[in-house]
Amino acid sequence: MNSNFRQSFSVADAVCALTILMLAILPQAAFAQALSDPASIEAVWTKANRQYDAPRSALLKQVEQQSHQGPYRPDWESLRTYQEPEWYKDAKFGIFIHWGVYSVPAFGSEWYPRLMYQQGTPEFEHHIATYGPQNKFGYKDFIPMFRAEHFDPQAWAQLFRESGAKYVMPVGEHHDGFPMYLSDLTDWCAGKMGPKRDILGELAQAIRAEGMHFATSSHRIEHDWFMDGGRTFDSDVNDPQYAALYGPAHPRFLKPGYDDRLIEDWTYLSPAFKDDWLARSAEIVEKYHPDLIFFDWWIGQPSMRDQLSRFAAYYYNQGVKRGTGAIINYKHDAFEEHSAILDIERGQLTDIRPLHWQTDTSLSNKSWGYIENDTFKTPEFVVHQLIDVVSKNGNLLVNIGPRSDGTIPQQAQQILRDVGAWLKVNGDAIYGTRPWTKYGEGPTEVVGGYFHDTDTKPYTAQDFRFTSKGPDLFAIELGWPADGKVTIHSLGTASLGAGHSIAGVSLLGSSDKLEWHQEADGLQIKLPSQPSTKYAYVYRVKLQ
């Protein structure tokens, strides 16, 4: 047993016994009010997880040992020397999968398990109207309904390969605290309840069989407070027999208006829960050896830095030992910027970032997980975003949300296939490329930052993005000009400067020989009568 859990259990038995007595003699509403201080909440949670002490302690011991066995140490001076594997910089395009128990109610978003306990929300009202009060039908009661009866990991992997993705990232555990794998640290997981299948393990095998890299994500740390709404009224969150599922459910204390600025987040986060997070993260590594792990934003909570450095050194050293490398995605300021890969959720940058980065967005507009009557982005939108992100030294991770039965909505499948068809013709301008001296030109201004990816106006035939590979420069036009004439101002003799000239220009996907000439104000190209593909048009420019 690790020291943090020993310390917790020195008082846990007494407090938990008192808690159970209170539950027996008090109405749940009064009990919820009594169970409001961190010590009482933590005692119930640690008691519920006591049976998993041995495997947790073993994993923490492995982390401690391996974080010092290799080129990386668990400190930021060492971790800032990190270099990401070349495959990731070459890959450019990945698939994210949000799938879990929250796909059963299929209402609102993947945050349904939180919002169904938040009084006054549409999810709260919908839940009562559809399933009954939360003390009679809680989130736990969706688990038997999550059967995944049509889940076919091989078919999924084949679809993702057709999309042109080079890596695939199913969620390992979301904020709801229900791991999508066979865990040795909880009974509340997909391997033991619901579908009773090791979803993550089956996908890892299928994804690798199709020649793609396997990645996964952990959103576990937010579970510290995710179910806190259930503490405020008569709900099953207050029942100790479900504490291992619902987590501590500490009240979230965040200064109003600060949102993701976690320096003003004062939520209680115990040493025991932080160690549990570290052990669960290590369990994923030990069981599935992902090439990449994505963490959501709350790992940036200031008190998490010690656990982050320990995990990163352990994981990176494992990657070195296996010869595959390892990648961590983070948001905001959770990591020192050289020590992992920045992810900008549903957002873009306005210029080239010298350090490699990633954006994650979803094909669906309203939710990351499946909900009924969602709307979807167009293939053109996805292709344009991919091009813009790659031109600025980034990767695009695009999400799908399968139904609870394991089927992927047909509209999402078709979008992925359409993106794959474009990449099959034009992938040479995406895969394995690096930024040019400038990302592009044109009148359309990208709205930068988190949660702004749909705020940029539609691109025009005057908008270009540039990528490079060896002697080739790729100029990608984001619209087809009605008059069949193209001018790329950045490639004029005045812009390229002395000592640089153009030896040839061709249009990917077309066998037509292009007419072109270079003037001071730009490269002039006369196009064929019909475009060679849809969405965007790639000119291979031979520089000399």
Side-chain angles (χ1 to χ4, degrees):
M1 188 187 303
N2 68 79
S3 60
N4 288 327
F5 272 83
R6 281 201 305 269
Q7 185 176 11
S8 298
F9 290 150
S10 65
V11 295
D13 288 330
V15 174
C16 194
L18 178 60
T19 299
I20 293 172
L21 177 62
M22 289 163 56
L23 181 61
I25 64 177
L26 291 176
Q28 274 207 4
F31 171 75
Q33 184 176 2
L35 190 63
S36 59
D37 67 283
S40 298
I41 291 173
E42 204 68 22
V44 174
W45 178 76
T46 52
K47 177 82 170 181
N49 287 279
R50 175 177 283 186
Q51 61 183 299
Y52 315 116
D53 287 350
R56 183 189 301 107
S57 295
L59 285 164
L60 292 173
K61 184 177 180 180
Q62 283 184 277
V63 171
E64 180 62 24
Q65 291 175 341
Q66 295 177 27
S67 65
H68 292 87
Q69 295 175 351
Y72 296 102
R73 305 183 311 270
D75 62 72
W76 299 106
E77 181 180 355
S78 171
L79 294 171
R80 73 185 309 275
T81 66
Y82 167 77
Q83 292 291 321
E84 68 270 27
E86 288 296 309
W87 76 258
Y88 181 70
K89 293 190 286 187
D90 292 341
K92 308 303 183 188
F93 183 47
I95 302 294
F96 211 174
I97 309 168
H98 276 68
W99 191 37
V101 177
Y102 44 82
S103 64
V104 174
F107 182 88
S109 74
E110 75 287 351
W111 276 45
Y112 187 92
R114 173 171 173 78
L115 297 176
M116 64 173 277
Y117 293 104
Q118 296 286 327
Q119 298 178 72
T121 66
E123 288 82 357
F124 184 91
E125 302 300 331
H126 170 83
H127 189 85
I128 292 175
T130 308
Y131 305 104
Q134 289 84 343
N135 63 350
K136 301 296 184 184
F137 191 109
Y139 188 64
K140 68 183 184 305
D141 297 297
F142 287 120
I143 294 174
M145 302 166 68
F146 180 45
R147 293 186 290 271
E149 61 268 31
H150 299 304
F151 171 51
D152 184 342
Q154 288 75 31
W156 282 24
Q158 290 167 8
L159 171 66
F160 303 148
R161 179 178 51 77
E162 289 179 42
S163 77
K166 300 300 183 183
Y167 58 106
V168 181
M169 182 188 293
V171 168
E173 179 179 349
H174 208 254
H175 310 317
D176 62 348
F178 188 82
M180 293 291 288
Y181 55 92
L182 180 58
S183 176
D184 297 327
L185 300 178
T186 181
D187 289 337
W188 298 92
C189 65
K192 301 174 185 177
M193 296 184 180
K196 296 183 179 179
R197 294 173 65 173
D198 186 354
I199 301 294
L200 203 63
E202 292 184 40
L203 280 171
Q205 183 176 3
I207 288 162
R208 286 170 169 145
E210 290 292 337
M212 297 174 289
H213 289 269
F214 171 71
T216 190
S217 69
S218 170
H219 313 248
R220 169 70 182 174
I221 193 63
E222 291 84 1
H223 193 59
D224 178 66
W225 47 264
F226 199 63
M227 301 293 196
D228 66 349
R231 296 284 188 212
T232 64
F233 69 102
D234 189 3
S235 84
D236 63 337
V237 172
N238 298 305
D239 191 331
Q241 67 178 315
Y242 305 124
L245 170 65
Y246 291 137
H250 288 297
R252 181 113 191 260
F253 290 116
L254 178 65
K255 188 174 181 179
Y258 274 69
D259 298 324
D260 297 327
R261 295 168 62 187
L262 296 180
I263 195 65
E264 289 289 355
D265 191 311
W266 306 101
T267 307
Y268 184 77
L269 183 58
S270 71
F273 192 81
K274 289 187 287 186
D275 277 354
D276 181 75
W277 172 88
L278 184 57
R280 289 205 186 203
S281 300
E283 181 181 42
I284 291 172
V285 173
E286 294 296 327
K287 283 179 174 285
Y288 307 109
H289 308 295
D291 298 315
L292 185 161
I293 292 184
F294 174 111
F295 292 118
D296 219 330
W297 89 102
W298 213 64
I299 57 162
Q301 214 268 359
S303 66
M304 279 294 293
R305 285 191 172 180
D306 179 59
Q307 279 73 20
L308 294 184
S309 64
R310 289 160 63 193
F311 176 80
Y314 152 79
Y315 180 48
Y316 289 161
N317 285 339
Q318 274 222 0
V320 171
K321 185 177 180 180
R322 291 198 308 268
T324 58
I327 300 161
I328 294 174
N329 290 152
Y330 74 97
K331 296 178 183 178
H332 302 290
D333 303 311
F335 275 72
E336 195 281 330
E337 66 174 356
H338 297 87
S339 65
I341 304 296
L342 175 67
D343 180 90
I344 298 178
E345 182 176 349
R346 290 189 186 267
Q348 291 167 251
L349 296 179
T350 58
D351 207 343
I352 296 171
R353 185 177 190 259
L355 297 174
H356 206 79
W357 63 285
Q358 176 181 272
T359 185
D360 64 310
T361 191
S362 187
L363 292 185
S364 50
N365 291 313
K366 300 176 183 177
S367 173
W368 291 84
Y370 174 77
I371 61 171
E372 295 179 357
N373 303 313
D374 209 337
T375 60
F376 293 84
K377 296 176 175 62
T378 65
E380 181 179 63
F381 180 97
V382 177
V383 168
H384 285 179
Q385 187 173 25
L386 173 64
I387 293 165
D388 181 72
V389 167
V390 169
S391 75
K392 296 169 182 173
N393 203 29
N395 284 15
L396 174 64
L397 181 66
V398 66
N399 174 75
I400 62 164
R403 299 183 181 91
S404 63
D405 66 1
T407 58
I408 298 172
Q410 190 60 42
Q411 191 170 354
Q413 292 190 44
Q414 190 57 52
I415 294 168
L416 291 180
R417 290 192 173 98
D418 289 343
V419 172
W422 186 88
L423 282 165
K424 189 172 183 179
V425 174
N426 300 287
D428 206 22
I430 300 295
Y431 304 125
T433 62
R434 298 295 182 266
W436 192 46
T437 56
K438 60 187 300 186
Y439 72 85
E441 66 176 54
T444 305
E445 295 185 6
V446 168
V447 180
Y450 291 78
F451 301 103
H452 286 299
D453 65 346
T454 58
D455 293 342
T456 298
K457 294 180 180 180
Y459 294 103
T460 71
Q462 288 73 50
D463 289 300
F464 292 86
R465 294 294 181 266
F466 303 121
T467 62
S468 65
K469 184 190 299 178
D472 294 341
L473 168 66
F474 297 98
I476 309 173
E477 190 173 20
L478 301 180
W480 186 260
D483 61 2
K485 297 177 181 179
V486 174
T487 300
I488 307 175
H489 297 291
S490 300
L491 300 183
T493 55
S495 298
L496 280 180
H500 298 280
S501 61
I502 296 174
V505 180
S506 59
L507 177 63
L508 296 193
S510 174
S511 58
D512 293 333
K513 186 175 181 179
L514 299 181
E515 296 180 23
W516 63 272
H517 61 280
Q518 192 180 18
E519 302 288 348
D521 69 337
L523 172 64
Q524 311 283 339
I525 306 173
K526 184 178 180 181
L527 298 181
S529 58
Q530 295 295 326
S532 57
T533 184
K534 296 188 290 186
Y535 315 136
Y537 314 94
V538 179
Y539 308 102
R540 187 194 303 270
V541 180
K542 294 286 186 181
L543 297 178
Q544 61 182 16

